[in-house]
Amino acid sequence: GFLKDMSKWLSGGQKTDSVRSATVKLKVFNKRLTRNTKKMEMTAKQARDKAVRLRKAGDMEGSEFHARNYLQIKKQARAIDHFRTNL
Protein backbone atom coordinates (compact mmCIF):
# COMPACT_ATOMS: atom_id res chain seq x y z
CA GLY A 1 0.00 0.00 0.00
CA PHE A 2 0.81 3.63 0.33
CA LEU A 3 2.82 3.30 3.54
CA LYS A 4 4.99 0.55 2.09
CA ASP A 5 5.70 2.64 -1.01
CA MET A 6 6.47 5.63 1.19
CA SER A 7 8.90 3.62 3.35
CA LYS A 8 10.65 2.28 0.24
CA TRP A 9 10.98 5.81 -1.09
CA LEU A 10 12.36 7.09 2.23
CA SER A 11 14.87 4.24 2.44
CA GLY A 12 16.23 4.99 -1.01
CA GLY A 13 14.04 2.65 -3.01
CA GLN A 14 15.94 -0.53 -2.33
CA LYS A 15 14.11 -3.45 -3.86
CA THR A 16 15.94 -6.25 -2.07
CA ASP A 17 16.79 -6.67 1.59
CA SER A 18 20.32 -5.56 2.27
CA VAL A 19 22.70 -7.10 4.76
CA ARG A 20 22.05 -4.19 7.10
CA SER A 21 18.33 -4.88 6.97
CA ALA A 22 18.94 -8.53 7.81
CA THR A 23 21.12 -7.65 10.80
CA VAL A 24 18.53 -5.19 12.08
CA LYS A 25 15.83 -7.84 11.77
CA LEU A 26 18.01 -10.33 13.65
CA LYS A 27 18.68 -7.82 16.44
CA VAL A 28 14.96 -7.09 16.81
CA PHE A 29 14.18 -10.81 16.81
CA ASN A 30 16.88 -11.42 19.42
CA LYS A 31 15.44 -8.70 21.68
CA ARG A 32 11.96 -10.16 21.29
CA LEU A 33 13.25 -13.59 22.30
CA THR A 34 14.98 -12.05 25.32
CA ARG A 35 11.76 -10.35 26.42
CA ASN A 36 9.82 -13.61 26.02
CA THR A 37 12.41 -15.48 28.07
CA LYS A 38 12.18 -12.92 30.88
CA LYS A 39 8.37 -13.12 30.88
CA MET A 40 8.51 -16.91 31.00
CA GLU A 41 10.98 -16.83 33.88
CA MET A 42 8.69 -14.51 35.85
CA THR A 43 5.72 -16.80 35.16
CA ALA A 44 7.77 -19.81 36.23
CA LYS A 45 8.74 -18.08 39.47
CA GLN A 46 5.08 -17.34 40.21
CA ALA A 47 4.16 -20.98 39.55
CA ARG A 48 6.98 -22.18 41.84
CA ASP A 49 5.90 -19.83 44.62
CA LYS A 50 2.30 -20.97 44.24
CA ALA A 51 3.38 -24.63 44.38
CA VAL A 52 5.30 -23.99 47.61
CA ARG A 53 2.37 -22.07 49.12
CA LEU A 54 -0.10 -24.83 48.22
CA ARG A 55 2.21 -27.54 49.57
CA LYS A 56 2.46 -25.68 52.89
CA ALA A 57 -1.34 -25.40 52.93
CA GLY A 58 -1.62 -29.16 52.40
CA ASP A 59 -3.01 -29.18 48.84
CA MET A 60 -0.65 -31.73 47.31
CA GLU A 61 -2.55 -32.13 44.05
CA GLY A 62 -2.59 -28.39 43.32
CA SER A 63 1.03 -28.12 44.37
CA GLU A 64 2.02 -30.91 41.99
CA PHE A 65 0.17 -29.20 39.14
CA HIS A 66 1.98 -25.90 39.67
CA ALA A 67 5.33 -27.64 40.14
CA ARG A 68 4.92 -29.35 36.76
CA ASN A 69 3.87 -26.03 35.25
CA TYR A 70 7.01 -24.43 36.70
CA LEU A 71 9.26 -27.14 35.23
CA GLN A 72 7.59 -26.93 31.82
CA ILE A 73 7.87 -23.15 31.58
CA LYS A 74 11.46 -23.20 32.82
CA LYS A 75 12.36 -25.80 30.18
CA GLN A 76 10.75 -23.70 27.43
CA ALA A 77 12.62 -20.60 28.61
CA ARG A 78 15.91 -22.52 28.56
CA ALA A 79 15.18 -23.81 25.05
CA ILE A 80 14.47 -20.27 23.80
CA ASP A 81 17.65 -19.02 25.46
CA HIS A 82 19.66 -21.82 23.87
CA PHE A 83 18.15 -21.02 20.44
CA ARG A 84 18.96 -17.34 20.95
CA THR A 85 22.61 -18.05 21.77
CA ASN A 86 22.95 -20.21 18.66
CA LEU A 87 21.53 -17.42 16.50
Side-chain angles (χ1 to χ4, degrees), residues 43-44 47-48 64-74:
T43 305
R48 186 187 68 202
E64 185 178 336
F65 172 78
H66 287 289
R68 282 187 186 154
N69 191 22
Y70 161 72
L71 291 173
Q72 183 180 16
I73 293 172
K74 194 71 172 170

Side-chain angles (χ1 to χ4, degrees), residues 33 36-37 40 75-85:
L33 287 175
N36 281 345
T37 302
M40 291 179 98
K75 184 178 178 182
Q76 289 173 350
R78 265 194 239 119
I80 290 174
D81 220 19
H82 180 71
F83 174 75
R84 194 174 60 82
T85 55

Side-chain angles (χ1 to χ4, degrees), residues 29-43:
F29 183 60
N30 197 5
K31 285 184 181 183
R32 185 181 303 159
L33 287 175
T34 304
R35 277 195 308 269
N36 281 345
T37 302
K38 291 205 186 280
K39 284 181 188 177
M40 291 179 98
E41 286 174 353
M42 289 189 323
T43 305

